[in-house]
Amino acid sequence: MKELRLPIYLDNHSTTQVDSQVVDAMLPYFSEQYGNAASKQHEFGWRAEAAVEAARKTIARLIGAEKNEIVFTSGATESINLALKGVAEAYASKGNHIITAATEHKAVLDTCKRLEKYGFQISILPVDRYGLVSVVDVENAITEKTTLVSIMTANNEIGTIAPIREIGEMCRVRNIIFHTDATQAVGKIPVDVIAMNIDLLSFSSHKMYGPKGIGALFVRSTTPKLRVMPQIDGGGHESGLRSGTLNVPAIVGFGEAAKLAHAAMEEESVQIKHLRDRLENGILAQVPDSFVNGHPTSRLPNNSSITFRFAEADRMMMEMKDVAVSSGSACSSDEPEPSHVLRAIGLNNEDAKSSIRFGVGRFTTEQEIDYVIQRVRETVQSVRDRKVHVQLTH
Ligand SMILES: *Cc1c(COP(=O)(O)O)cnc(C)c1O
């Protein structure tokens, strides 16, 4: 058996290890192939451009899009900003109302807050106890001022997969633009922008075994033309939607990651789900007063969010430094606040703060899972014992 290497990484919703095939594909574009993809007059530029366009094609194919519908950005946060602010600005004469949900990533919620300061009206819809937003709630929230609906494909904390196709269809019928943050979904579960009626879709390379600092916004190109106001002006790169010299090595890496995901997804998701279920069932069987958050079936195959009653997650993670997991989302974990997602599905503050997110990945092994189950069991017990001790001596 392979030797167990510590610490064990089970935080694959925060970021993923760059696949070695991705690294190999990127390397030449730092050294020999260093051209600027916008240099039209020489070989260096042509080669860089060819590499970018090949990657664009592979990335488009992964979500069922056309090559010309992919705009490269620095990551999902930027894609989301471009989508939300870009549509809000372009359609300001039509209306000023945007609909989203309480469990969205901060990249969506904080962008909406910013737009609110500029006079836009934001409706933040509640979710049910599994984290699902209802299509009927979205439809009922629409007013004649609504221009945009933004609902995430899969949640980054509890893994719940939204009824995207239905929401998209309803938006299409009502002539409302539909954006989805699919950062956790792309490369993990099938995503098809046509079948799902998606107008705008944000995603990111580093959540799918590619490098950090590169992502994309899908912008539907069919008629009537969707208008998005650029948020970064400059040389008019990316069809004028996002100026700035392209990060060629990162784009090549993103393309390679998309290629690997396309080829491996079906098989890999079965393997990952098997490990996730082993982890979840092992923990639930061995740790009393623990329960799983998120939807029982409509959930990402790699996600497990577990609440350990009477055991604070921060204490657990302090004691369990050989296992890399997260409480809440990485982006908000320096805030002492409990996760807004867990609060939105109805957990009280104490339970929300006693929850840990496990994220299984491509490189996770069964041996690692079995080790983590034991460590979680010991740690919960020790944290709970100490809590009882403290309570008894005070
Ligand atoms: C990670 C993540 C983001 C932010 O992506 P970056 O590429 O790191 O900016 C946005 N939304 C969701 C759901 C995420 O998981």
Side-chain angles (χ1 to χ4, degrees), residues 78-100:
E78 190 192 324
S79 299
I80 291 163
N81 272 265
L82 174 55
L84 271 51
K85 292 174 180 169
V87 165
E89 198 181 330
Y91 291 84
S93 62
K94 182 190 171 208
N96 67 344
H97 180 230
I98 294 170
I99 299 169
T100 189

Side-chain angles (χ1 to χ4, degrees), residues 13-14 74-78 80 105 107 152 154-156 181 183-184 204 206-207 214 331:
H13 299 291
S14 291
S74 64
T77 301
E78 190 192 324
I80 291 163
H105 192 275
M152 72 201 312
N155 187 271
N156 51 302
D181 171 3
T183 312
Q184 292 290 342
S204 187
H206 77 98
K207 304 288 176 80
I214 189 76
C331 317

Side-chain angles (χ1 to χ4, degrees), residues 132-133 151-154 160-167 196 298:
L132 280 180
V133 57
I151 302 290
M152 72 201 312
T153 308
T160 298
I161 300 170
I164 290 302
R165 190 176 54 75
E166 291 82 354
I167 296 171
M196 295 162 115
S298 189

